[in-house]
Amino acid sequence: EAQVTQNPRYLITVTGKKLTVTCSQNMNHEYMSWYRQDPGLGLRQIYYSMNVEVTDKGDVPEGYKVSRKEKRNFPLILESPSPNQTSLYFCASSFRHSTDTQYFGPGTRLTVL
Amino acid sequence: KQEVTQIPAALSVPEGENLVLNCSFTDSAIYNLQWFRQDPGKGLTSLLLIQSSQREQTSGRLNASLDKSSGRSTLYIAASQPGDSATYLCAVRPKDSGGYQKVTFGTGTKLQVIP
């Protein structure tokens, strides 16, 4: 089954404790992206990747890191999480960046205490 | 900077009614526009994707139109059903001269279809 998977689905952590949210797609997509969703602010793009080893900042990259060492995986790293990073996070992928449908993962609900 | 607006923020209609959801964007230089639905606590499900060269796309009871010159897209839902209750989001992929490939989402319209 074609899908985007994220892990974990739910995470409660404390300020400053490094964490990684994994994202994997099995559709051989080139473009992958991370979003956060907050009430009243909608979905905002954090980082995106056009292909392996090619990443760039979205609208809200502060406090986040990403890497794209393999085509299928695009982990989101929070080196020192803070409470303002409490949010619902989505990973998405598409075959091409400009023309193709984005497929979304199920989301990761992160709470930073 | 591209801005995407969806009005109204919430809509409640009786079952069976036809309805239109609106999406406006400020910069007409886009690759495409995509409509999604999101159920509470769930991820996003793609409904329709309209390329910049297209005027509309249809899938079942859904029809999406795109007017780039006026910066508008509409999602038409025919014969609404309670199962259509969800938040509907539109997203644009801009052609940015700076080379960025950022996607901009609207804040959504929360639809409730009353049986």
Side-chain angles (χ1 to χ4, degrees):
Chain A
E1 179 189 356
Q3 59 183 350
V4 179
T5 57
Q6 295 178 228
N7 283 292
R9 294 289 314 280
Y10 303 91
L11 179 60
I12 300 174
T13 189
V14 295
T15 298
K17 186 177 181 181
K18 181 180 179 180
L19 67 91
T20 299
V21 184
T22 65
C23 173
S24 182
Q25 49 91 8
N26 62 0
M27 296 171 278
N28 200 35
H29 284 171
E30 293 180 353
Y31 182 93
M32 297 186 74
S33 182
W34 276 103
Y35 299 88
R36 60 178 290 174
Q37 186 176 35
D38 302 288
L41 296 176
L43 274 143
R44 294 176 294 169
Q45 197 167 28
I46 304 171
Y47 269 96
Y48 62 89
S49 170
M50 303 283 283
N51 213 322
V52 175
E53 302 291 2
V54 181
T55 63
D56 209 344
K57 299 176 181 178
D59 288 318
V60 288
E62 296 77 19
Y64 304 95
K65 286 176 58 177
V66 293
S67 68
R68 187 92 180 271
K69 294 183 171 58
E70 306 167 279
K71 199 171 189 178
R72 63 183 293 130
N73 296 323
F74 190 45
L76 180 69
I77 303 159
L78 284 71
E79 295 270 3
S80 183
S82 62
N84 65 13
Q85 293 178 298
T86 293
S87 188
L88 180 59
Y89 291 87
F90 289 103
C91 179
S93 72
S94 65
F95 186 62
R96 294 184 193 86
H97 68 272
S98 59
T99 59
D100 295 322
T101 298
Q102 285 199 89
Y103 295 90
F104 277 74
T108 296
R109 186 165 293 281
L110 172 65
T111 301
V112 183
L113 301 174
Chain B
K1 180 184 176 183
Q2 179 74 267
E3 293 183 4
V4 181
T5 305
Q6 292 185 248
I7 295 173
L11 182 63
S12 184
V13 301
E15 181 178 2
E17 190 164 296
N18 302 326
L19 60 100
V20 174
L21 305 180
N22 297 297
C23 173
S24 300
F25 48 96
T26 54
D27 189 340
S28 61
I30 64 171
Y31 282 117
N32 58 49
L33 184 146
Q34 191 167 359
W35 282 94
F36 297 87
R37 71 172 278 167
Q38 183 177 25
D39 295 284
K42 301 287 181 64
L44 278 71
T45 301
S46 178
L47 297 173
L48 290 164
L49 174 73
I50 311 176
Q51 303 295 349
S52 62
S53 57
Q54 299 174 322
R55 297 282 294 182
E56 64 179 284
Q57 283 285 332
T58 298
S59 176
R61 293 182 295 109
L62 306 179
N63 176 276
S65 68
L66 175 64
D67 184 344
K68 275 198 315 177
S69 61
S70 65
R72 295 175 66 181
S73 176
T74 61
L75 179 67
Y76 174 83
I77 302 177
S80 58
Q81 303 171 357
D84 295 330
S85 298
T87 296
Y88 290 80
L89 299 157
C90 66
V92 297
R93 280 189 154 168
K95 291 181 181 178
D96 192 314
S97 60
Y100 297 115
Q101 302 299 336
K102 291 186 281 190
V103 178
T104 304
F105 276 83
T107 51
T109 295
K110 187 174 183 179
L111 173 67
Q112 182 183 24
V113 180
I114 303 166

